Amino acid sequence: MPFRLDIVTAERQVYSEDVDLVLAPGADGQLGILPRHAPLFTLLTAGPLVIRKGGEETEIALSGGFMEVARNRVTIMADAAEHAEEIDEARARAGMERARERLQHRVADMDLERAQAAMRRAVARLAVVERRRRRRGERGSRPGGATP
Ligand code: ATP
């Protein structure tokens, strides 16, 4: 029995579908949401969000936010969220490099948490891009390139 997943940011609706499973990057670790999950309101960190729907898996890069589970409905209010095909890989790499520089050459008044958060966002985006590439590669390498 599927449940509704809505992902929204201040700017747009990113996702709205009936799904079978959500794996969300909870602030205290991965959270698995199945149908009829108990009500929950929790903080999310930046990371890949995995969605399973009808045997297909989709990943969305999430930049932190909140998740509410209520009445068999999951709502994620994200700081930012991107589908794999929306992610500018070069931009994410540049962001990761910038964050790495800041974390390596720490100065007294630097905002450590901010640099770490920027790093997490970039890593999440690159992980989502990479996972999509691997999936496509696997599919493409099958004889005939057909999906089973
Ligand atoms: P940058 O330093 O490159 O701006 P950021 O992590 O600081 O990255 P955010 O503040 O998380 O960026 O996001 C600002 C907006 O830009 C959001 O709408 C987000 O979806 C979008 N965005 C950020 N990075 C990327 C990317 N690599 N590809 C596509 N969209 C992105």
Side-chain angles (χ1 to χ4, degrees), residues 11 63 80 82 86-88 91-92 98 121 125:
E11 278 112 41
S63 299
E82 302 97 31
E86 292 170 331
I87 295 171
D88 178 341
R91 177 173 166 185
R98 261 195 322 275
R121 292 196 298 274
R125 287 174 180 130

Side-chain angles (χ1 to χ4, degrees), residues 9 11-12 61 63 79-84 86-96 98 102 117-119 121-122 125-126 129:
T9 69
E11 278 112 41
R12 64 182 182 128
S63 299
D79 298 334
E82 302 97 31
H83 291 272
E86 292 170 331
I87 295 171
D88 178 341
E89 191 177 350
R91 177 173 166 185
R93 281 199 191 286
M96 188 167 84
R98 261 195 322 275
R102 280 195 213 113
M119 175 64 93
R121 292 196 298 274
R125 287 174 180 130
L126 293 171
V129 167

Side-chain angles (χ1 to χ4, degrees), residues 6-130:
D6 288 301
I7 304 174
V8 297
T9 69
E11 278 112 41
R12 64 182 182 128
Q13 183 160 59
V14 179
Y15 190 93
S16 181
E17 305 249 352
D18 288 330
V19 305
D20 302 310
L21 168 79
V22 176
L23 287 174
D28 300 317
Q30 185 97 309
L31 289 166
I33 310 294
L34 285 161
R36 300 182 211 281
H37 192 286
L40 175 76
F41 190 82
T42 193
L43 190 63
L44 300 179
T45 187
L49 178 91
V50 180
I51 302 164
R52 204 169 294 157
K53 176 186 165 74
E56 288 263 318
E57 253 185 33
T58 311
E59 279 196 24
I60 288 179
L62 206 75
S63 299
F66 294 92
M67 176 168 71
E68 183 185 41
V69 185
R71 296 179 300 279
N72 220 28
R73 197 180 182 110
V74 177
T75 308
I76 293 176
M77 291 140 276
D79 298 334
E82 302 97 31
H83 291 272
E85 59 274 18
E86 292 170 331
I87 295 171
D88 178 341
E89 191 177 350
R91 177 173 166 185
R93 281 199 191 286
M96 188 167 84
E97 235 4 85
R98 261 195 322 275
R100 198 206 306 276
E101 283 281 314
R102 280 195 213 113
L103 292 169
Q104 272 173 357
H105 307 105
R106 289 182 196 179
V107 287
D109 65 345
M110 84 167 267
D111 190 337
L112 183 64
E113 272 185 29
R114 194 171 152 193
Q116 285 169 336
M119 175 64 93
R120 269 199 302 275
R121 292 196 298 274
V123 167
R125 287 174 180 130
L126 293 171
V128 167
V129 167
E130 184 53 39

